[in-house]
Amino acid sequence: MIQNRLIIGLTGGIGSGKSTVAALFAQHGAGIIDTDVIAHSLTRANGEAMESIRASFGNDYVTADNALDRAKMRGLIFSDAAAKQRLEQLLHPLIREQAKAQLRKLESAPYIILVVPLLAESPAFRQLVQRVLVVDCAENIQIARVVGRSAMSEAEVRAIIARQTSRAERLQLADDVIHNDAGLDNLAEQVGILHGCYSNIFGTP
């Protein structure tokens, strides 16, 4: 899509630290596109996806200010695989189009980090990237991070992890791996090394 531009797909399980890693790459000048941020924009009050979501799922899954009721929808898609697929069919094409539009605007970035939590399950997004970077950590660390930052219980987080691509499968997909279990300084060091590698692939300084 963008000639002579390296696009790295950044992925990892819930609570692995994808956003922190992306922010560290941004400090080095990388262009960052986060599909979770795009998804939240599409489903906020009067977001672009809300009319379709209301038509498909009904008013029960829409808040009073016309935003997605995330807690209710999360409960539905974890109990109903068909509903999960229906939601993805609504959102994923819109997310891809916005991601492509953002890619076209990042001409000055030396390389681009495309954050896609479900990259392993998303062939269309894998076609956009030249390399896959997995942020990896132990499951107990994932759980502690998510419980600590959200209102979800340990059981809810374990249920999400169980439905995501397994850790082993993600690592098989990886061209590069960042291990996020030894603190921010260690994480920043790993990002710095990869920044040097990515910058040199197309000869950017």
Side-chain angles (χ1 to χ4, degrees):
M1 184 194 323
I2 300 178
Q3 291 185 343
N4 296 330
R5 181 67 55 86
L6 177 63
I7 303 172
I8 300 105
L10 172 63
T11 193
I14 186 172
S16 60
K18 299 179 293 295
S19 296
T20 303
V21 169
L24 289 168
F25 274 109
Q27 291 177 14
H28 289 283
I32 308 295
I33 300 170
D34 190 328
T35 58
D36 263 358
V37 173
I38 294 172
H40 275 74
S41 174
L42 291 169
T43 55
R44 67 188 176 191
N46 300 313
E48 187 179 339
M50 289 312 303
E51 185 176 337
S52 297
I53 288 173
R54 187 189 295 276
S56 184
F57 292 94
N59 292 331
D60 286 348
Y61 296 92
V62 179
T63 65
D65 62 348
N66 198 36
L68 177 66
D69 188 324
R70 301 184 195 286
K72 262 189 184 175
M73 184 61 77
R74 185 165 60 239
L76 175 66
I77 64 177
F78 280 128
S79 62
D80 186 339
K84 178 175 182 287
Q85 185 176 30
R86 197 158 81 247
L87 181 65
E88 289 174 349
Q89 287 172 344
L90 288 176
L91 288 179
H92 285 189
L94 295 172
I95 293 170
R96 282 196 300 273
E97 286 309 307
Q98 290 209 10
K100 288 178 182 179
Q102 291 184 28
L103 283 169
R104 288 190 287 269
K105 294 177 182 177
L106 290 172
E107 295 180 356
S108 61
Y111 57 90
I112 294 163
I113 301 290
L114 177 60
V115 186
V116 186
L118 301 181
L119 185 65
E121 300 99 316
S122 306
F125 278 108
R126 290 209 302 275
Q127 291 175 3
L128 297 179
V129 306
Q130 287 80 52
R131 295 184 72 83
V132 173
L133 169 59
V134 170
V135 185
D136 182 60
C137 67
E139 185 174 302
N140 65 309
I141 295 176
Q142 288 179 260
I143 293 167
R145 285 176 181 154
V146 179
V147 170
R149 76 186 185 200
S150 72
M152 283 190 278
S153 68
E154 179 177 334
E156 287 176 311
V157 180
R158 287 188 182 278
I160 291 171
I161 290 172
R163 292 177 70 97
Q164 291 186 333
T165 298
S166 73
R167 184 182 182 187
E169 288 174 312
R170 273 195 303 271
L171 290 171
Q172 283 185 337
L173 187 67
D175 297 296
D176 308 297
V177 179
I178 283 180
H179 301 282
N180 187 14
D181 47 16
L184 189 58
D185 288 346
N186 179 270
L187 198 63
E189 182 179 352
Q190 294 179 75
V191 168
I193 291 168
L194 283 174
H195 165 70
C197 295
Y198 295 156
S199 295
N200 288 330
I201 287 180
F202 284 125
T204 51

